Structures are given as structure tokens and as C-alpha cells.
Amino acid sequence: MLEQQADRVMELSEWSQRWEENKIGFHQPGVHRLADLGHSVVGVEISETAIRQFFQENNMTFSEQDVPAVPGAKVFQNPERSVSLYQCDLFSFSSAVAGRFGAIWDRGSLVAINPRDRNRYAALIVSLMAPDCRYLLDTLLYNPELYRGPPFFVPDEQVQSLFGGRCDVEMLQSVDALTDRQRAWGLDALTENVHLLTLKADPIR
């Protein structure tokens, strides 16, 4: 069923335009309180509008500066530097910019990446994982003949093929996630899966 969406492409300009036009149904009013728990949080976002809105919505002051390692990129940080948001193409980001991470939360990234870029995306994520990293990955299952995406259909078998060589993959949760919003897309069923990925001690090369 992957071939149904294989040629679907969203340009970066389209994502930025969605924010400019406030077509952001994927954006949630509730936040994941990582920084409130004492963690340093790093995000990567193509839309400067989205980044500025984040700081405004959370009543956080921020500084803005260029990122020498990524031409054209900027980083927005709150004064305590517990939150750093990089405005750039995700594929321009690397461990050389901000190191590797002990936790990664992917609520809507893999499902938004153009299907043809998934291998590239998986390689990037693995390169950003510290040895003890816990990577939470959220995916969606539905009939791709009924909806073109994004968010895109990502079957469990593909999660395994993308990451299984380097990571142990554990299903943490699988729930019925169909709402009126998805029914409006033409869907009659939607399952949301959450996976926990950890690096293998001896990955298969």
C-alpha cells in the first residue's frame, strides 16, 4: 500500500505557507512539558512564523542568532537556553550543530516527511541518538487509497525496515484515533501507534 503515496511531495514552501495561512490542524494547543521538567529542549522547524508563535504562546522571551554551521539558519533561544529552536531545513541539521540527544519525541515528523525521504530521515535520526537515547515515534495507519496525506501512512513493517537494523523497536501503544477531522479527509478508520526505539549494542551493518 506504500505505493499509493510514494510520489506525494510537499515542498518546504508549502509547509511555511500553511503557517502563514493558519492551516495548521496538526498544531495542538496542549504542550509536552519537557522543559518544565528540567530538560533542555531542541527543535527544528522550517517556519519562522511557527517558532515566533511558540515563544509568544508560552510567554517566553527569546534571542535570535545565526547558526554558522548551517548557512541561512537561525536559532531562537529563551534566556535560560532550556529551549532552542532552529529555523532551517531538517536535513541541514546534524549532531555537529547541537550534539546528540538522550531523548527524541517524534509526534508528527516521520508522518510529515515526504515518503521518498524516509530512509534519509531515519539515517539522520539515528545519527542524532546518544547511546542511551530513547526515541518515541508516533505513526498513523489508515487506507492510503482514501487520503493522499500528509500526515502519511507509515506501516509498522516500514518502521522496522527503516530502523530495525540499528534499533530495537517496541510497540508501546496502539489506539483508535479516528475523529471528525479525519472523517472529513475521507477516512473510515485511523490507528495511532507509539513505538519506543533504542540503539542496539551491536547494530546490524
Side-chain angles (χ1 to χ4, degrees), residues 17-189:
Q17 190 67 24
R18 284 193 176 198
W19 279 99
E20 296 299 329
E21 297 176 356
N22 201 37
K23 295 179 179 178
I24 49 173
F26 51 85
H27 185 49
Q28 293 186 345
V31 299
H32 302 287
R33 301 191 175 277
L34 294 171
D36 292 344
L37 297 175
H39 301 290
S40 295
V41 176
V42 173
V44 181
E45 168 60 55
I46 192 62
S47 170
E48 184 172 328
T49 298
I51 292 174
R52 292 184 180 277
Q53 283 186 13
F54 168 83
F55 286 107
Q56 291 166 3
E57 290 173 359
N58 291 282
N59 298 312
M60 295 170 62
T61 58
F62 62 90
S63 63
E64 174 185 341
Q65 59 187 3
D66 294 334
V67 182
V70 184
K74 291 186 284 188
V75 60
F76 297 76
Q77 296 176 313
N78 73 319
E80 295 77 23
R81 297 199 172 192
S82 61
V83 176
S84 302
L85 302 183
Y86 289 82
Q87 193 252 318
C88 64
D89 181 344
L90 176 63
F91 291 117
S92 298
F93 194 78
S94 70
S95 59
V97 178
R100 293 192 293 170
F101 300 93
I104 298 174
W105 172 218
D106 182 339
R107 185 187 67 82
S109 190
L110 179 60
V111 297
I113 294 294
N114 291 324
R116 68 184 186 187
D117 293 327
R118 286 178 186 166
N119 286 317
R120 187 180 174 201
Y121 175 81
L124 172 62
I125 292 297
V126 169
S127 75
L128 295 172
M129 295 174 70
D132 61 348
C133 181
R134 298 294 184 266
Y135 170 32
L136 281 179
L137 171 63
D138 192 273
T139 59
L140 300 174
L141 302 179
Y142 60 83
N143 183 351
E145 294 181 351
L146 300 178
Y147 179 65
R148 294 181 68 219
F152 296 110
F153 162 76
V154 182
D156 297 341
E157 311 87 74
Q158 190 170 42
V159 172
Q160 189 64 42
S161 67
L162 288 171
F163 296 100
R166 298 295 308 275
C167 298
D168 292 318
V169 181
E170 177 187 353
M171 175 79 74
L172 294 184
Q173 180 175 283
S174 182
V175 298
D176 178 357
L178 186 68
T179 69
D180 289 340
R181 178 167 171 253
Q182 289 83 36
R183 290 189 182 94
W185 300 346
L187 296 182
D188 53 13

